[in-house]
Amino acid sequence: MTAMKQPGACRITERLIPESQLKAIVEGMVKDTLAQMLGVNVTTQLQRQWHDTEQAYSLLALNTTEQLREMVRSGLLRIGHEVRDVRSPSSQVPRYQFHIEKCELRLSMPPEQRQIKKTKKTA
């Protein structure tokens, strides 16, 4: 006697995704639903290229905002290329925004192809 598969039975494969990606997906679904309820144009929001640190780290699938800030400090992500500083003229604290597409492109490069210019610190 041969075993027959039950109709409609499917094999479920467990797939794990990082919490940051899950958070971004859920937030996106909530934003889309609210935008529809409020009649806000969602396509304008989806075309946004520059994101503050708080949104950018999850869009780049990083674990913390500090990882993103460290990439700027180390020179991996460069101000004027993948990063811009939008602080007010009177502020001494930087306020970074990240171009997600450019950041992803930079991070996908093999490490030996990245030219990192470190700034010299004076004592």
Side-chain angles (χ1 to χ4, degrees):
M1 216 174 182
T2 60
M4 296 182 72
K5 291 185 179 179
Q6 295 179 351
C10 62
R11 186 174 161 196
I12 298 175
T13 304
E14 185 176 332
R15 294 185 183 187
L16 302 175
I17 62 171
E19 185 177 335
S20 59
Q21 285 182 339
L22 180 60
K23 181 180 174 186
I25 292 167
V26 171
E27 286 177 356
M29 290 171 30
V30 170
K31 286 179 186 176
D32 289 348
T33 303
L34 286 174
Q36 288 175 354
M37 291 170 63
L38 297 171
V40 176
N41 187 353
V42 178
T43 56
T44 303
Q45 293 295 322
L46 294 177
Q47 293 174 351
R48 186 172 175 195
Q49 296 178 335
W50 292 93
H51 296 272
D52 291 328
T53 307
E54 290 297 322
Q55 295 91 31
Y57 91 92
S58 64
L59 292 171
L60 293 168
L62 299 174
N63 295 323
T64 66
T65 56
E66 188 56 33
Q67 283 180 296
L68 201 49
R69 290 185 187 101
E70 181 54 38
M71 289 178 184
V72 174
R73 284 191 291 269
S74 73
L76 175 58
L77 296 178
R78 306 159 297 175
I79 296 174
H81 297 274
E82 300 86 17
V83 183
R84 65 182 181 186
D85 187 349
V86 295
R87 76 178 106 181
S88 67
S90 61
S91 177
Q92 292 184 2
V93 178
R95 182 172 161 239
Y96 296 130
Q97 287 187 337
F98 298 84
H99 192 285
I100 301 302
E101 188 176 318
K102 289 179 182 179
C103 288
E104 287 175 336
L105 183 62
R106 177 81 169 161
L107 296 172
S108 69
M109 293 173 65
E112 60 275 3
Q113 290 182 358
R114 300 179 197 144
Q115 293 182 354
I116 298 176
K117 292 182 181 179
K118 290 197 176 188
T119 57
K120 293 181 181 179
K121 293 183 181 179
T122 56

